[in-house]
Amino acid sequence: MNVRSAVESVALPVLALAGGLLLFGVFIWFGGHDPVQAWQLLFRGAFGDSFSIQNTLQRAAPLMLTALAVALPARAGLTVIGGEGALVLGGLAAAALPYALPLPQGSAGTALLLVASAVAGGAWIALAGWLRQWRGVNETISSLLLGYVAIGLFKHIVEGPLRDPASLNKPSTLPLEESLRIGTIAGSDVHWGLVFGLVACALAALWLSLTTHGFATRVVGGNPRAARLVGLPATALIVTACALGGGAAGLAGGIEVAAVHTSANASLIVGLGYTGILVSFVARHEPLAIPPVAILFGGFLAAGSLLQRRMGLPDASVQVLMGFCFVLILASEALRGRLKELFVLRKPPVGAAPSSPSTPATAGAAA
């Protein structure tokens, strides 16, 4: 990557985020509120004190994993947006496993829960990759529709066969035993899911950059024709990338059940998979860039309640901010490779005469 490409990879997302904040301020202003106060509360609610920072990190943990569900298939040339479905099925698998098997107590049982959640999510997104390769189904549409199917299955099973009779107002599965739950880090409010997210991003980066399988995946995504010419198994590589990404999103669902909700219920369906799409696009599908972006957007989610308390805005108003950011991120792709043209005047070639407007005399002579 040359210097200009590196600068663009940083500058375009930063400009898009700044534009999203500006449009959000205009949106707030039209609603009769002070945009400067809204911007201050956003960052105070995200990073203002230790409580805010812990809340931000806790919300960022699943975003790192759901972003990988977009980033890894993207490196293989696919646009997959079904991380929400993989997340809810991963959470369902973690909650349902104790119904099917007697699990060992302690970390061994927790590990089995997380493996089941990763397998469920990986199989679901791998299905989108399989449909693309064997049936020619567009992966963006299929993964989105599979996400809705997964949510429907989740609601049917949680509210039907696996419903805890004691869950009256909010249908849920039976709560996990205490020994199977994931605790917090060093007595803080941040659970160990944050570490899982950071490790998963690091492993994804190592896989893509240091292994032949990861290199082959990048070749398939960057130049499919070259991949075919050298005989790379494109189908296997694409389905594997989808499975790994879906496994990360499924793991996020299992961690949310084991660390936050303790059972599978509708609280799991809050759009973490959809926010992961934005995180991945802002990070340019680079695994090592995902954690800081996830922390930023986790902070925006954490600040929503502060906007509601201080300014009377709906808690979901931060979704408007994320919508602005997503639209601008997509629009910024049109500027890739053209920033120099926008900010630097083109110089005429060496030896070329500078152009000047024609005078009436010269125009007459030319005629």
Coordinates of all heavy atoms in Angstrom, one line a residue, residues 205-273:
A205 N -6.4 -11.0 11.7 CA -5.3 -10.3 11.0 C -4.1 -11.2 10.7 O -3.5 -11.1 9.6 CB -4.9 -9.1 11.9
L206 N -3.7 -12.0 11.7 CA -2.6 -12.9 11.5 C -3.0 -14.0 10.4 O -2.1 -14.3 9.6 CB -2.3 -13.7 12.8 CG -1.7 -12.8 13.9 CD1 -1.5 -13.6 15.2 CD2 -0.4 -12.2 13.5
W207 N -4.2 -14.4 10.4 CA -4.6 -15.4 9.4 C -4.5 -14.8 8.0 O -4.0 -15.4 7.0 CB -6.0 -15.9 9.7 CG -6.6 -16.7 8.6 CD1 -6.2 -17.9 8.1 CD2 -7.8 -16.3 7.8 NE1 -7.0 -18.3 7.1 CE2 -8.0 -17.4 6.8 CE3 -8.6 -15.2 7.8 CZ2 -9.0 -17.4 5.9 CZ3 -9.7 -15.2 6.8 CH2 -9.9 -16.3 5.9
L208 N -5.0 -13.6 7.8 CA -5.0 -12.9 6.5 C -3.6 -12.6 6.0 O -3.3 -12.6 4.8 CB -5.9 -11.7 6.6 CG -7.4 -11.9 6.6 CD1 -8.1 -10.6 6.9 CD2 -7.9 -12.5 5.3
S209 N -2.7 -12.2 7.0 CA -1.4 -11.7 6.5 C -0.3 -12.7 6.6 O 0.7 -12.5 5.8 CB -1.1 -10.4 7.4 OG -1.0 -10.8 8.8
L210 N -0.4 -13.7 7.4 CA 0.8 -14.6 7.6 C 0.6 -16.0 7.2 O 1.5 -16.8 7.3 CB 1.2 -14.6 9.1 CG 1.6 -13.2 9.7 CD1 2.0 -13.4 11.2 CD2 2.8 -12.6 8.9
T211 N -0.6 -16.4 6.7 CA -0.9 -17.8 6.3 C -1.1 -17.8 4.8 O -1.7 -16.9 4.2 CB -2.0 -18.4 7.1 OG1 -3.3 -17.7 6.7 CG2 -1.9 -18.2 8.6
T212 N -0.8 -18.9 4.2 CA -1.0 -19.1 2.8 C -2.5 -19.2 2.5 O -3.0 -18.7 1.5 CB -0.4 -20.4 2.3 OG1 -0.8 -21.5 3.1 CG2 1.1 -20.3 2.4
H213 N -3.3 -19.7 3.4 CA -4.8 -19.8 3.3 C -5.3 -18.4 3.3 O -6.2 -18.0 2.4 CB -5.4 -20.6 4.4 CG -6.8 -21.0 4.1 ND1 -7.9 -20.2 4.4 CD2 -7.4 -22.1 3.6 CE1 -9.0 -20.7 4.1 NE2 -8.7 -21.9 3.6
G214 N -4.9 -17.5 4.2 CA -5.4 -16.2 4.2 C -4.9 -15.4 3.0 O -5.7 -14.6 2.5
F215 N -3.7 -15.6 2.5 CA -3.2 -14.9 1.3 C -4.1 -15.4 0.1 O -4.5 -14.5 -0.7 CB -1.8 -15.3 1.1 CG -1.3 -14.7 -0.2 CD1 -1.0 -13.4 -0.4 CD2 -1.0 -15.5 -1.3 CE1 -0.5 -12.8 -1.6 CE2 -0.6 -15.1 -2.5 CZ -0.3 -13.7 -2.6
A216 N -4.4 -16.6 0.0 CA -5.2 -17.1 -1.1 C -6.6 -16.5 -1.0 O -7.2 -16.2 -2.0 CB -5.3 -18.7 -1.0
T217 N -7.1 -16.4 0.2 CA -8.4 -15.7 0.4 C -8.4 -14.3 -0.1 O -9.4 -13.8 -0.8 CB -8.9 -15.8 1.9 OG1 -8.9 -17.1 2.3 CG2 -10.2 -15.1 2.0
R218 N -7.4 -13.6 0.2 CA -7.2 -12.2 -0.3 C -7.1 -12.1 -1.8 O -7.6 -11.2 -2.5 CB -6.1 -11.5 0.4 CG -6.3 -11.2 1.9 CD -5.2 -10.3 2.5 NE -4.0 -11.1 2.7 CZ -2.8 -10.7 2.1 NH1 -2.8 -9.7 1.3 NH2 -1.8 -11.5 2.3
V219 N -6.4 -13.1 -2.4 CA -6.3 -13.1 -3.8 C -7.6 -13.4 -4.5 O -8.0 -12.7 -5.5 CB -5.3 -14.2 -4.3 CG1 -5.3 -14.4 -5.8 CG2 -3.9 -13.9 -3.8
V220 N -8.4 -14.3 -3.9 CA -9.8 -14.6 -4.5 C -10.6 -13.3 -4.4 O -11.4 -13.0 -5.3 CB -10.4 -15.7 -3.7 CG1 -11.9 -15.9 -4.1 CG2 -9.7 -17.0 -4.0
G221 N -10.5 -12.6 -3.3 CA -11.3 -11.4 -3.1 C -10.8 -10.2 -4.0 O -11.6 -9.4 -4.4
G222 N -9.5 -10.1 -4.2 CA -9.0 -9.0 -4.9 C -8.9 -9.1 -6.4 O -9.1 -8.2 -7.1
N223 N -8.7 -10.4 -6.8 CA -8.6 -10.6 -8.3 C -9.1 -12.0 -8.6 O -8.3 -13.0 -8.7 CB -7.1 -10.5 -8.7 CG -7.0 -10.3 -10.2 OD1 -7.8 -10.8 -11.0 ND2 -5.9 -9.7 -10.7
P224 N -10.4 -12.2 -8.7 CA -10.9 -13.5 -9.0 C -10.4 -14.2 -10.2 O -10.2 -15.4 -10.3 CB -12.4 -13.3 -9.1 CG -12.7 -12.0 -8.4 CD -11.4 -11.2 -8.6
R225 N -10.1 -13.4 -11.3 CA -9.6 -14.0 -12.5 C -8.2 -14.6 -12.3 O -7.9 -15.7 -12.8 CB -9.5 -12.9 -13.6 CG -9.1 -13.4 -14.9 CD -9.0 -12.3 -16.0 NE -8.5 -12.8 -17.3 CZ -8.3 -12.0 -18.3 NH1 -8.5 -10.7 -18.2 NH2 -7.9 -12.6 -19.4
A226 N -7.3 -13.9 -11.6 CA -6.0 -14.4 -11.3 C -6.1 -15.6 -10.4 O -5.4 -16.6 -10.6 CB -5.2 -13.3 -10.6
A227 N -7.1 -15.6 -9.5 CA -7.3 -16.8 -8.6 C -7.7 -18.0 -9.5 O -7.2 -19.2 -9.2 CB -8.3 -16.5 -7.6
R228 N -8.5 -17.8 -10.5 CA -8.9 -19.0 -11.3 C -7.7 -19.4 -12.2 O -7.6 -20.6 -12.4 CB -10.1 -18.5 -12.2 CG -11.4 -18.4 -11.5 CD -12.6 -18.3 -12.5 NE -12.4 -17.2 -13.4 CZ -12.9 -16.0 -13.1 NH1 -13.6 -15.8 -12.0 NH2 -12.8 -15.0 -14.0
L229 N -6.9 -18.5 -12.7 CA -5.8 -18.8 -13.5 C -4.8 -19.7 -12.8 O -4.2 -20.6 -13.4 CB -5.2 -17.6 -14.1 CG -6.0 -16.8 -15.2 CD1 -5.3 -15.5 -15.6 CD2 -6.3 -17.7 -16.4
V230 N -4.5 -19.4 -11.5 CA -3.5 -20.2 -10.8 C -4.2 -21.4 -10.1 O -3.4 -22.1 -9.4 CB -2.8 -19.3 -9.7 CG1 -2.1 -18.1 -10.4 CG2 -3.8 -18.7 -8.7
G231 N -5.4 -21.6 -10.3 CA -6.1 -22.8 -9.8 C -6.4 -22.8 -8.3 O -6.5 -23.9 -7.7
L232 N -6.7 -21.6 -7.7 CA -7.0 -21.6 -6.3 C -8.5 -22.1 -6.1 O -9.3 -21.9 -7.0 CB -7.0 -20.2 -5.8 CG -5.6 -19.6 -5.6 CD1 -5.7 -18.1 -5.2 CD2 -4.7 -20.4 -4.7
P233 N -8.7 -22.9 -5.1 CA -10.1 -23.4 -4.8 C -11.0 -22.3 -4.3 O -11.2 -22.1 -3.1 CB -9.8 -24.5 -3.8 CG -8.6 -24.0 -3.0 CD -7.8 -23.3 -4.0
A234 N -11.5 -21.4 -5.2 CA -12.2 -20.2 -4.8 C -13.4 -20.6 -3.9 O -13.7 -19.9 -2.9 CB -12.7 -19.5 -6.0
T235 N -14.2 -21.6 -4.3 CA -15.4 -21.9 -3.5 C -15.1 -22.3 -2.1 O -15.7 -21.8 -1.2 CB -16.1 -23.1 -4.2 OG1 -16.5 -22.7 -5.5 CG2 -17.3 -23.5 -3.4
A236 N -14.1 -23.2 -1.9 CA -13.7 -23.6 -0.5 C -13.2 -22.4 0.3 O -13.6 -22.2 1.5 CB -12.7 -24.6 -0.6
L237 N -12.5 -21.5 -0.4 CA -11.9 -20.3 0.4 C -13.0 -19.4 0.8 O -13.1 -18.8 1.9 CB -10.9 -19.6 -0.5 CG -9.6 -20.4 -0.8 CD1 -8.8 -19.7 -1.9 CD2 -8.8 -20.5 0.5
I238 N -14.0 -19.2 -0.2 CA -15.1 -18.2 0.1 C -16.0 -18.8 1.2 O -16.4 -18.0 2.2 CB -15.9 -17.9 -1.2 CG1 -15.1 -17.0 -2.1 CG2 -17.2 -17.3 -0.9 CD1 -15.7 -16.8 -3.4
V239 N -16.3 -20.0 1.1 CA -17.2 -20.6 2.2 C -16.5 -20.6 3.5 O -17.1 -20.4 4.6 CB -17.7 -22.0 1.8 CG1 -18.4 -22.7 2.9 CG2 -18.5 -22.0 0.5
T240 N -15.2 -20.9 3.5 CA -14.4 -20.9 4.8 C -14.4 -19.5 5.4 O -14.6 -19.3 6.6 CB -13.0 -21.3 4.5 OG1 -13.0 -22.7 4.0 CG2 -12.2 -21.3 5.8
A241 N -14.2 -18.4 4.6 CA -14.2 -17.1 5.1 C -15.6 -16.7 5.7 O -15.7 -16.1 6.7 CB -13.9 -16.1 4.0
C242 N -16.7 -17.2 5.0 CA -18.0 -16.9 5.5 C -18.2 -17.6 6.8 O -18.8 -17.1 7.8 CB -19.1 -17.3 4.5 SG -19.1 -16.3 3.0
A243 N -17.7 -18.9 6.9 CA -17.9 -19.7 8.1 C -17.1 -19.0 9.3 O -17.6 -19.0 10.4 CB -17.4 -21.1 7.9
L244 N -15.9 -18.5 9.0 CA -15.1 -17.9 10.1 C -15.8 -16.6 10.6 O -15.9 -16.3 11.8 CB -13.7 -17.6 9.6 CG -12.8 -18.8 9.4 CD1 -11.5 -18.4 8.8 CD2 -12.6 -19.6 10.7
G245 N -16.3 -15.8 9.6 CA -17.0 -14.6 10.0 C -18.3 -14.9 10.8 O -18.5 -14.2 11.8
G246 N -19.1 -15.8 10.3 CA -20.3 -16.2 11.0 C -20.0 -16.8 12.3 O -20.7 -16.5 13.3
G247 N -18.9 -17.5 12.4 CA -18.5 -18.1 13.8 C -18.2 -17.0 14.8 O -18.6 -17.1 15.9
A248 N -17.6 -15.9 14.3 CA -17.3 -14.8 15.2 C -18.6 -14.1 15.7 O -18.8 -13.8 16.9 CB -16.4 -13.7 14.5
A249 N -19.6 -13.9 14.7 CA -20.8 -13.3 15.1 C -21.6 -14.3 16.1 O -22.3 -13.8 17.0 CB -21.7 -13.0 13.9
G250 N -21.6 -15.6 15.8 CA -22.3 -16.5 16.7 C -21.6 -16.5 18.0 O -22.3 -16.6 19.1
L251 N -20.3 -16.4 18.1 CA -19.6 -16.3 19.4 C -20.1 -15.1 20.2 O -20.2 -15.1 21.4 CB -18.1 -16.3 19.1 CG -17.2 -16.2 20.4 CD1 -17.4 -17.4 21.3 CD2 -15.7 -16.0 19.9
A252 N -20.3 -14.0 19.4 CA -20.8 -12.8 20.1 C -22.2 -13.0 20.8 O -22.4 -12.6 21.9 CB -21.0 -11.6 19.1
G253 N -23.0 -13.8 20.1 CA -24.3 -14.1 20.7 C -24.2 -15.0 21.9 O -24.9 -14.8 22.9
G254 N -23.3 -16.0 21.8 CA -23.1 -16.8 23.0 C -22.5 -16.1 24.2 O -22.9 -16.3 25.3
I255 N -21.6 -15.1 23.9 CA -21.0 -14.3 25.0 C -22.1 -13.4 25.6 O -22.2 -13.2 26.8 CB -19.8 -13.5 24.5 CG1 -18.7 -14.4 24.1 CG2 -19.4 -12.5 25.5 CD1 -17.5 -13.8 23.4
E256 N -23.0 -12.8 24.8 CA -24.0 -12.0 25.3 C -24.9 -12.8 26.2 O -25.4 -12.3 27.2 CB -24.8 -11.4 24.1 CG -24.1 -10.3 23.4 CD -23.9 -9.1 24.3 OE1 -24.9 -8.4 24.6 OE2 -22.8 -8.8 24.6
V257 N -25.2 -14.0 25.9 CA -26.1 -14.9 26.7 C -25.3 -15.3 28.0 O -25.9 -15.2 29.1 CB -26.5 -16.2 26.0 CG1 -27.1 -17.2 26.9 CG2 -27.5 -15.8 24.9
A258 N -24.1 -15.7 27.9 CA -23.4 -16.2 29.0 C -22.8 -15.1 29.9 O -22.6 -15.3 31.1 CB -22.2 -17.0 28.6
A259 N -22.7 -13.8 29.4 CA -22.1 -12.8 30.2 C -23.1 -11.7 30.6 O -22.9 -11.0 31.6 CB -20.9 -12.1 29.5
V260 N -24.1 -11.5 29.8 CA -25.0 -10.3 30.0 C -26.4 -10.7 30.4 O -26.9 -10.4 31.5 CB -25.0 -9.4 28.8 CG1 -25.9 -8.2 29.0 CG2 -23.6 -8.9 28.4
H261 N -27.1 -11.5 29.5 CA -28.5 -11.8 29.7 C -28.8 -13.1 30.5 O -29.8 -13.2 31.1 CB -29.2 -11.9 28.3 CG -29.0 -10.7 27.5 ND1 -29.5 -9.5 27.8 CD2 -28.3 -10.6 26.3 CE1 -29.1 -8.6 26.8 NE2 -28.4 -9.3 25.9
T262 N -27.8 -14.0 30.6 CA -27.9 -15.3 31.3 C -28.9 -16.2 30.7 O -29.1 -17.4 31.1 CB -28.2 -15.1 32.8 OG1 -29.5 -14.7 33.0 CG2 -27.2 -14.1 33.4
S263 N -29.7 -15.8 29.7 CA -30.7 -16.6 29.0 C -30.9 -16.0 27.6 O -30.6 -14.9 27.4 CB -32.0 -16.8 29.8 OG -32.6 -15.5 29.9
A264 N -31.6 -16.8 26.8 CA -31.9 -16.2 25.4 C -33.3 -15.6 25.5 O -34.3 -16.3 25.9 CB -31.9 -17.4 24.4
N265 N -33.4 -14.4 25.1 CA -34.7 -13.7 25.0 C -34.6 -12.5 24.0 O -33.5 -12.4 23.4 CB -35.1 -13.2 26.4 CG -34.0 -12.3 27.1 OD1 -33.6 -11.4 26.5 ND2 -33.6 -12.7 28.3
A266 N -35.6 -11.8 23.9 CA -35.7 -10.7 22.9 C -34.7 -9.6 23.1 O -34.4 -8.8 22.2 CB -37.1 -10.1 22.9
S267 N -34.1 -9.5 24.3 CA -33.0 -8.5 24.5 C -31.8 -8.7 23.7 O -31.0 -7.8 23.5 CB -32.6 -8.5 26.0 OG -33.7 -8.2 26.9
L268 N -31.7 -9.9 23.1 CA -30.5 -10.2 22.3 C -30.7 -9.6 20.9 O -29.7 -9.4 20.2 CB -30.4 -11.8 22.1 CG -29.1 -12.3 21.7 CD1 -28.0 -12.0 22.7 CD2 -29.2 -13.8 21.5
I269 N -31.9 -9.3 20.5 CA -32.1 -8.7 19.2 C -32.2 -7.2 19.3 O -33.3 -6.6 19.3 CB -33.4 -9.3 18.6 CG1 -33.5 -10.8 18.7 CG2 -33.6 -8.9 17.1 CD1 -34.8 -11.4 18.4
V270 N -31.0 -6.6 19.3 CA -31.0 -5.1 19.5 C -30.2 -4.5 18.3 O -29.8 -3.3 18.4 CB -30.4 -4.7 20.8 CG1 -31.3 -5.1 22.0 CG2 -29.0 -5.4 21.0
G271 N -29.9 -5.2 17.3 CA -29.2 -4.6 16.1 C -27.7 -4.6 16.2 O -27.0 -3.9 15.4
L272 N -27.1 -5.5 17.1 CA -25.6 -5.5 17.2 C -25.0 -6.0 15.9 O -23.9 -5.5 15.5 CB -25.2 -6.4 18.3 CG -25.6 -5.9 19.7 CD1 -25.2 -6.9 20.8 CD2 -24.8 -4.6 20.0
G273 N -25.7 -6.9 15.2 CA -25.2 -7.4 13.9 C -25.2 -6.3 12.8 O -24.3 -6.2 12.0

